[in-house]
Amino acid sequence: MLDWQDVDTVLLDMDGTLLDLHYDNHFWLTHLPRRYAEIHDIPLAQAEERLGAQIDARRGTLEWYCLNFWSRELKLDIATILREIEDRIALRPQTESFLEGLRQLNKRAFLVTNAHPDSLAHKLEITGIDRWLDGIVSSHDLGHAKESGHFWAALRQHIDFEPSRTLFVDDNESVLAAARDYGIGRLLCIRQPDSRGPMRVIADFPAIHQFDEIMII
């Protein structure tokens, strides 16, 4: 599936790719609505409806990923509430061996994430995955979400890489489409980003379940 001789640089998503997306899904779909209902003293069903509409309206934008925005919008301390369930933050299977394998292959590896800097710092504190990486870029640093073509142009100014010799791994097909449109040569999608969610059928991109499908070390 993948010829490592043709790859110099590996760009990696965080949530749903290196880390289990269960933490984020549980927070936004279950924990936050419950806490929002408690704090604002409204029924849970009303909280779920209100939050769902607000979140869906901004999907794919930088605001959708911004903890500061949602703290202001919802009148909640989102960063603090996130820490209430930090025990759910976990690596996806084989993440450590995959990152170590990239190092043994002498491939440059960068984390390229839509995560807000506060959330990013928290997850790095818990997981320590930064010790395997050559650099970390949050879309908030560049002013565009990864779903935007502007992000990829800005990233090229931030990191020196040759698109045709770059592998990008993500669980978000809209993000992968933007990377494809920019000219990233090799793309992989994750079939099961949430360990408690379904195995997805990915039609438009090569896809893997676990990293051992592309590891050669």
Side-chain angles (χ1 to χ4, degrees):
M1 175 184 285
L2 181 64
D3 186 348
W4 284 105
Q5 295 296 321
D6 296 332
V7 175
D8 296 327
T9 304
V10 182
L11 305 178
L12 296 160
D13 173 51
M14 183 170 66
D15 302 316
T17 299
L18 298 182
L19 304 189
D20 191 342
L21 194 62
H22 168 68
Y23 167 75
D24 300 270
N25 283 343
H26 180 78
F27 177 79
W28 292 101
L29 299 177
T30 303
H31 189 68
L32 181 61
R34 188 178 74 244
R35 297 289 284 120
Y36 184 85
E38 291 171 355
I39 292 168
H40 293 291
D41 194 24
I42 62 174
L44 178 58
Q46 183 179 344
E48 291 173 337
E49 181 179 0
R50 186 180 299 178
L51 288 175
Q54 289 179 277
I55 291 170
D56 285 344
R58 292 171 176 82
R59 188 176 299 275
T61 69
L62 200 59
E63 288 178 337
W64 196 79
Y65 300 98
C66 183
L67 303 189
N68 294 338
F69 170 81
W70 289 114
S71 291
R72 293 192 303 270
E73 190 80 0
L74 304 177
K75 297 179 175 57
L76 297 173
D77 185 347
I78 297 295
T80 296
I81 299 174
L82 275 164
R83 287 183 176 267
E84 294 174 353
I85 58 166
E86 65 179 18
D87 61 302
R88 294 176 184 263
I89 296 173
L91 298 176
R92 292 189 68 248
Q94 305 171 5
T95 289
E96 291 185 340
S97 56
F98 176 63
L99 293 174
E100 182 60 35
L102 292 180
R103 177 164 291 183
Q104 292 180 39
L105 289 171
N106 295 314
K107 305 302 180 184
R108 300 163 70 235
F110 295 89
L111 186 66
V112 180
T113 177
N114 274 326
H116 184 270
D118 291 345
S119 176
L120 173 59
H122 182 209
K123 289 172 178 176
L124 294 180
E125 171 192 330
I126 297 291
T127 65
I129 57 172
D130 50 321
R131 66 186 182 274
W132 285 292
L133 300 167
D134 294 293
I136 298 172
V137 178
S138 167
S139 58
H140 299 265
D141 299 326
L142 303 185
H144 303 282
K146 290 191 296 180
E147 289 88 335
S148 167
H150 297 297
F151 170 86
W152 297 97
L155 181 66
R156 187 92 180 272
Q157 298 299 314
H158 197 79
I159 297 175
D160 181 25
F161 67 93
E162 173 52 51
S164 66
R165 294 187 58 82
T166 296
L167 166 67
F168 174 50
V169 189
D170 204 296
D171 65 299
N172 185 320
E173 292 183 78
S174 295
V175 170
L176 288 165
R180 178 182 59 196
D181 292 345
Y182 180 72
I184 301 299
R186 287 156 184 80
L187 304 168
L188 280 177
C189 191
I190 300 296
R191 292 189 186 278
Q192 190 184 30
D194 182 334
S195 63
R196 305 188 195 186
M199 186 82 72
R200 305 178 302 167
V201 175
I202 307 298
D204 293 335
F205 301 96
I208 60 172
H209 176 41
Q210 305 290 9
F211 288 119
D212 63 0
E213 298 173 46
I214 56 171
M215 289 165 58
I216 61 173
I217 291 180

